[in-house]
Structure formats: C-alpha cells, structure tokens
Amino acid sequence: MVPPTAIAFDLDGTLIDSRGDIVAAVNHALEATGRAPLPGPVIVRYVGDGARALCARAAKLPESSEGVDELLQHFLAYYQEHPLDFTRWMPGAQETLEKLSDIADLSLCLCTNKPRATTAMVLAALGVRSRFRAVVAGGDTAENKPAPDPLLHLAQVLDIHPGRMVMVGDGPQDIECARRAGARSIGVLGGFASEQVLLDARPDVLLRSLHDVCDVLRRWRDATVRLSAVR
C-alpha cells in the first residue's frame, strides 16, 4: 500500500446536483428535433456515460446514429447557455473541497464524463476551477469512464503512480474506472445511482455523505505511514 497523494472527484451527482439542468437540456434537444419530452426521472436514469450516450438513450437511437449528432448539438448549446439554472452543490461538497485543499501534499482533481465545454462552463460559473490541479472531461481521452483512461491520464499529468489516486463518485462508472486503473475508490450515495447499484460495483468504501471523505482519506494515509514505520 502507498499513501494517496491525489483525489479525483466525479462532478454530476457527486459534487453537484445537476439533475434539473440536465433534464431541461435533454428535453430541449428532444423538442428541437421534433420529439416529445420525457419525464425527469426517466432522463435521470440515462445519466452517467456521457452526453452522447444520454441523448441516444433519450431518443432511443444507437449512439452511432446521425440523429444523435443533431440532438447532441442542441443539448450542448442549451446547456452552455443554462449551466446553473437549477444546479446546486451536493451536501458537504463545498466543505469537503475546502478541507482537502488545506492538505499540502494532496492534489485535487476532477474526473467527469461531462463534455469539456459544459464542464468548463459549470466550473467557471461555480467559481471553483482553481481548486482542481487537473481536470479530465468527456472526450479528453480515447474512452470515458468506466474505462481507466481518464484516471490514467490524470496520473500521467500529475506524474504519479495510479495506485496513489483515489476516485470519488456516485456511479458504478467511477468505481470501475478506479478498479481498472489500479486506484482506490469511494462510492457516495445520494447521486444518480441507487444504493444497490453502488454496492454491486464494490467500491473500497461506500459513504452516505461527502462529509466522511476526509476521514477515510486520513485513515488510509495514516495506515500507510504506520505500515512504513513498522517495516
């Protein structure tokens, strides 16, 4: 075991509750292309694998369909104009980021499947871009989460071994990404995925609140320091 020196957070459902803006953007795209809008809870079930997958699922089209291109354009254009109409911080998110920012040898990162343009817009609107040493967004790597590519990219940017990273997220994509990259994972309830879905994903730790992330990280760091001392 090695002490974690970087922690990567998912965005939607983990740090921010963006359900309202995602639903509004999807329904705008559906109506703009002559389709009927969908109930919010239905759209929320489609979230997690990036904007293209979301639009394809909402329209019941294959991701490779040209029809998805048009939907995605409308979705992204609307979202960039309305990044924070309904979006709010998840409970404990701001406090957790502030506490972790005070740890001198810990790098805070963002690892999201949200497209780069909308991610940048949301972070700018929230005024928190400077909190993250590195950001990897949807489309920045060959594959999005659950592939390991995003975390491996962050490890390369930070010049650290992936085993020194911790991934915090509300979905199975986050947990699988961490496992395949060789990083630790913390699942947090209250986002898009149900408790059973997260349990089935088998995170290293499953929390009910972001407030507990700092304690978990501290225990991992203390445990590895004690282990090194024993050796």
Side-chain angles (χ1 to χ4, degrees), residues 62-228:
E63 281 191 50
S64 59
S65 169
E66 291 184 2
V68 177
D69 295 335
E70 185 182 8
L71 281 161
L72 185 58
Q73 289 175 2
H74 285 291
F75 173 85
L76 293 175
Y78 182 90
Y79 207 136
Q80 289 181 46
E81 293 180 3
H82 305 271
L84 292 181
D85 285 0
F86 306 106
T87 292
R88 300 292 181 268
W89 286 103
M90 291 293 286
Q94 288 178 288
E95 298 89 338
T96 298
L97 290 177
E98 289 173 3
K99 288 180 180 179
L100 292 174
S101 296
D102 292 335
I103 302 177
D105 59 342
L106 182 70
S107 297
L108 268 64
C109 305
L110 193 72
C111 183
T112 176
N113 282 347
K114 201 179 196 73
R116 165 63 63 172
T118 49
T119 295
M121 189 72 67
V122 169
L123 293 181
L126 290 172
V128 294
R129 175 60 184 89
S130 62
R131 284 197 180 274
F132 301 104
R133 183 174 172 188
V135 174
V136 61
D140 287 351
T141 54
E143 293 186 70
N144 293 337
K145 298 177 293 183
D149 303 38
L151 275 182
L152 295 177
H153 173 74
L154 285 175
Q156 185 176 31
V157 169
L158 299 175
D159 193 24
I160 62 173
H161 188 277
R164 289 189 175 272
M165 301 194 71
V166 177
M167 178 73 218
V168 181
D170 69 303
Q173 300 90 346
D174 305 304
I175 310 308
E176 180 64 16
C177 175
R179 182 179 298 112
R180 293 172 64 183
R184 293 182 178 93
S185 62
I186 297 177
V188 183
L189 297 172
F192 290 103
S194 68
E195 181 172 356
Q196 189 57 54
V197 167
L198 273 179
L199 283 170
D200 291 343
R202 296 179 291 110
D204 292 308
V205 175
L206 181 59
L207 303 177
R208 295 196 175 276
S209 169
L210 280 172
H211 287 289
D212 298 323
V213 168
C214 295
D215 289 337
V216 172
L217 189 65
R218 187 178 301 111
R219 289 200 302 269
W220 279 343
R221 287 162 66 91
D222 289 347
T224 51
V225 169
R226 288 196 298 270
L227 183 59
S228 297

